[in-house]
Amino acid sequence: MTDSRPATRLPVAVSGVGVLGLAVLIAPLIALAWAAPWSRIWELLTAKPAMQALGLSLGAATLATLCAIVLGVPLAAVLASGAIRPTRLVRLLVVVPMVMPPVVIGTALLTLLGRRGLVGQYLDAWFDWTPTYTFSAVVIAQLVVAMPFLVVSVEAALRARNIDAEEAAYTLGAGRFTTFRLVTVPEIRAGIGAGAIMCFARALGEFGATVTFAGNVQGVTQTMPLAIYLSLQRDDQSAIAMAIGLVILSVLILIGMRGRWLPALS
């Protein structure tokens, strides 16, 4: 889509600072590309530790996103309807993980689900199982960190929707659940799609909550960001290659959001 708005004439100082801001954002990427071992990058990316970490990252992020859709869409509907009071306080609690340091979230999950945690002690006593330092812990950490992005997107879509079709469905005798499932959800599918992609991207890059709550066990809980961090301490080239791989994956996600789900990139 072509932007037809007239060009704004900015002061030279504003333009200069704006270009400096752009440089701050892209300079690290340029440095990463400059330092990348391009002649060995395929070998490094297809090495067993990297492939294990990538597969685990994609699997955990996918499961976390699916769980976020199942839990987050109804939560967004509750927030949009004002069914829980005070709505502003509830909304604040929902979005807190977006601004909270991930390591704090990981610590909070440990106090909840750890072996001696508020709930974890009963899981351990009754089922001889706790999620800490397992693949389940990776999914839970990513879910808590990433789900607010989906909730915010879906709530915005719900607030902006046209309710005429829903009122027509009620007039024709459809129940609330049927109307929500067959009318409301299809109408906000773009918001759900955008939220799901942002949720997936955030889950894929999660580090702090994961390493705190799930640990860094190769082949079990070691996601790509954790593998990069570990490789930086012993093999710079491998770490840079995996970082390049995540950058490419992130760009592909943005391309997927382009147009329908992220008009600003059109």
Side-chain angles (χ1 to χ4, degrees), residues 110 131-139 141 209-217 220-222 226:
L110 276 176
T132 50
Y133 308 110
T134 66
F135 178 75
S136 298
V138 178
V139 176
T210 304
V211 73
T212 305
F213 180 55
N216 189 7
V217 183
V220 180
T221 65
Q222 188 179 90
L226 301 186

Side-chain angles (χ1 to χ4, degrees), residues 74-85 87 91 155 158-159 161:
L75 174 57
V78 168
L79 291 175
S81 68
I84 297 181
R85 304 287 183 173
T87 304
R91 185 179 294 110
E155 185 188 0
L158 283 166
R159 290 182 175 277
R161 78 190 189 280

Side-chain angles (χ1 to χ4, degrees), residues 76 98 147-159 188-198 257 261:
M98 297 176 69
M147 188 168 71
F149 290 85
L150 180 136
V151 174
V152 169
S153 176
V154 175
E155 185 188 0
L158 283 166
R159 290 182 175 277
I188 61 169
R189 62 184 180 275
I192 296 175
I197 292 175
M198 288 189 291
M257 293 178 68
W261 289 328

Side-chain angles (χ1 to χ4, degrees), residues 67-153:
C67 291
I69 292 173
V70 172
L71 299 173
V73 173
L75 174 57
V78 168
L79 291 175
S81 68
I84 297 181
R85 304 287 183 173
T87 304
R88 290 184 178 180
L89 176 60
V90 176
R91 185 179 294 110
L92 176 65
L93 295 175
V94 168
V95 300
V96 158
M98 297 176 69
V99 296
M100 187 184 299
V103 69
V104 175
I105 296 175
T107 303
L109 287 172
L110 276 176
T111 62
L112 176 68
L113 297 172
R115 190 173 299 276
R116 298 180 181 179
L118 184 64
V119 174
Q121 60 181 319
Y122 299 107
L123 293 176
D124 183 44
W126 296 344
F127 306 105
D128 193 26
W129 177 83
T130 51
T132 50
Y133 308 110
T134 66
F135 178 75
S136 298
V138 178
V139 176
I140 293 170
Q142 292 184 353
L143 172 65
V144 174
V145 169
M147 188 168 71
F149 290 85
L150 180 136
V151 174
V152 169
S153 176

